[in-house]
Amino acid sequence: MLRALFEKTGTAVWISHLDLMRLFQRAFARANLPLKHTQGFNPRPSVSIALPLSVGMESVCELLDFEVEGNFTPEEITKRLNETLIDGVRVREVYEGSRKIRDLALLECEVFLEYDAGVPENALETLAALFGRESIVVTKKSKNGPVEQDIRPMLREALVRPENEQLLALSAIICCQNPTLNPALLLSAIEKYAPEAKPDFAKIKRLEIYDKDGTVFR
């Protein structure tokens, strides 16, 4: 199984997960890189993305697993795909994927908090106190409707720093599998516990993924 490390940035963040899958399948076809198909009554292209990315989020650490017919070098696959992909979706590297996706455990991300009228007074201290709490219970959507969830056990690290007079950056390391914490719930926590520090606009970006020991996952 081959694995591609790719990024999704810019206007491409508005592409849904299913459309991104279709985009890659078309890219392989246009690049003359025939994908292998699964066996059975309903064969499907052998291609999958490790951690589906929510619409609107940027990432520079997405993983795509795939199998192709024929002998192509990783460098050739990378070059061909990037020649056919759209702006904002770019393959950084292709390599032999030896680790199981189930070993993925942690995600490093940044949440950029923008304030039209400037960063509120004491916002840094307020947010530091919030993410230092022993319990942070927020409401999340589930298949069975809204549920209450304590996200604090899934938050390994959270640091807030000023970027400029109107922008704060929240750097966090969170669980991304078993259990999973959506970074958007960090914004829900701010809205619930620190409304005075609620931003006018927020942007989330995935930076890196790790195993449970904190080793970069590839």
Side-chain angles (χ1 to χ4, degrees), residues 152-199:
R152 188 61 186 88
M154 295 177 281
L155 182 60
R156 299 295 180 88
E157 182 179 299
L159 300 173
V160 186
R161 68 179 188 277
E163 292 287 289
N164 56 49
E165 293 181 353
Q166 294 179 299
L167 182 66
L168 295 179
L170 167 61
S171 298
I173 296 179
I174 61 178
C175 295
C176 63
Q177 282 198 129
N178 304 315
T180 299
L181 173 58
N182 187 327
L185 290 179
L186 300 176
L187 294 170
S188 298
I190 295 173
E191 183 175 3
K192 178 177 179 179
Y193 294 98
E196 68 276 21
K198 179 184 176 182

Side-chain angles (χ1 to χ4, degrees), residues 100-147:
K100 300 293 184 183
I101 294 299
R102 64 172 178 265
D103 293 335
L104 251 175
L106 300 172
L107 167 69
E108 180 183 0
C109 63
E110 279 194 325
V111 183
F112 296 96
L113 311 172
E114 297 185 20
Y115 302 89
D116 293 340
V119 175
E121 187 177 359
N122 299 322
L124 275 173
E125 294 80 2
T126 299
L127 294 176
L130 165 59
F131 293 113
R133 293 168 58 111
E134 292 185 1
S135 176
I136 306 174
V137 178
V138 298
T139 302
K140 63 173 289 188
K141 295 179 180 178
S142 72
K143 295 179 180 178
N144 299 319
V147 297

Side-chain angles (χ1 to χ4, degrees), residues 5-159:
L5 173 68
F6 73 95
E7 60 186 42
K8 183 185 178 191
T9 61
T11 56
V13 301
W14 303 113
I15 300 173
S16 71
H17 175 67
L18 290 178
D19 286 339
L20 183 63
M21 291 290 291
R22 297 187 188 101
L23 172 69
F24 268 107
Q25 290 172 21
R26 291 194 296 268
F28 275 99
R30 288 195 298 267
N32 292 316
L33 296 168
L35 287 168
K36 289 185 179 180
H37 283 66
T38 59
Q39 303 297 314
F41 293 104
N42 186 25
R44 297 179 180 179
S46 181
V47 57
S48 63
I49 294 176
L51 299 173
L53 186 64
S54 298
V55 173
M57 291 188 190
E58 283 193 335
S59 179
V60 294
C61 60
E62 297 301 286
L63 296 181
L64 177 85
D65 284 353
F66 64 94
E67 291 185 276
V68 292
E69 303 278 0
N71 296 316
F72 303 95
T73 66
E75 294 76 18
E76 184 178 6
I77 294 173
T78 301
K79 181 176 182 295
R80 289 197 189 188
L81 286 177
N82 283 334
E83 288 174 346
T84 61
L85 287 167
I86 65 170
D87 290 343
V89 180
R90 184 180 71 89
V91 175
R92 297 174 55 190
E93 181 186 4
V94 171
Y95 55 94
E96 192 72 35
S98 58
R99 303 197 64 181
K100 300 293 184 183
I101 294 299
R102 64 172 178 265
D103 293 335
L104 251 175
L106 300 172
L107 167 69
E108 180 183 0
C109 63
E110 279 194 325
V111 183
F112 296 96
L113 311 172
E114 297 185 20
Y115 302 89
D116 293 340
V119 175
E121 187 177 359
N122 299 322
L124 275 173
E125 294 80 2
T126 299
L127 294 176
L130 165 59
F131 293 113
R133 293 168 58 111
E134 292 185 1
S135 176
I136 306 174
V137 178
V138 298
T139 302
K140 63 173 289 188
K141 295 179 180 178
S142 72
K143 295 179 180 178
N144 299 319
V147 297
E148 297 291 296
Q149 182 179 38
D150 186 358
I151 66 173
R152 188 61 186 88
M154 295 177 281
L155 182 60
R156 299 295 180 88
E157 182 179 299
L159 300 173

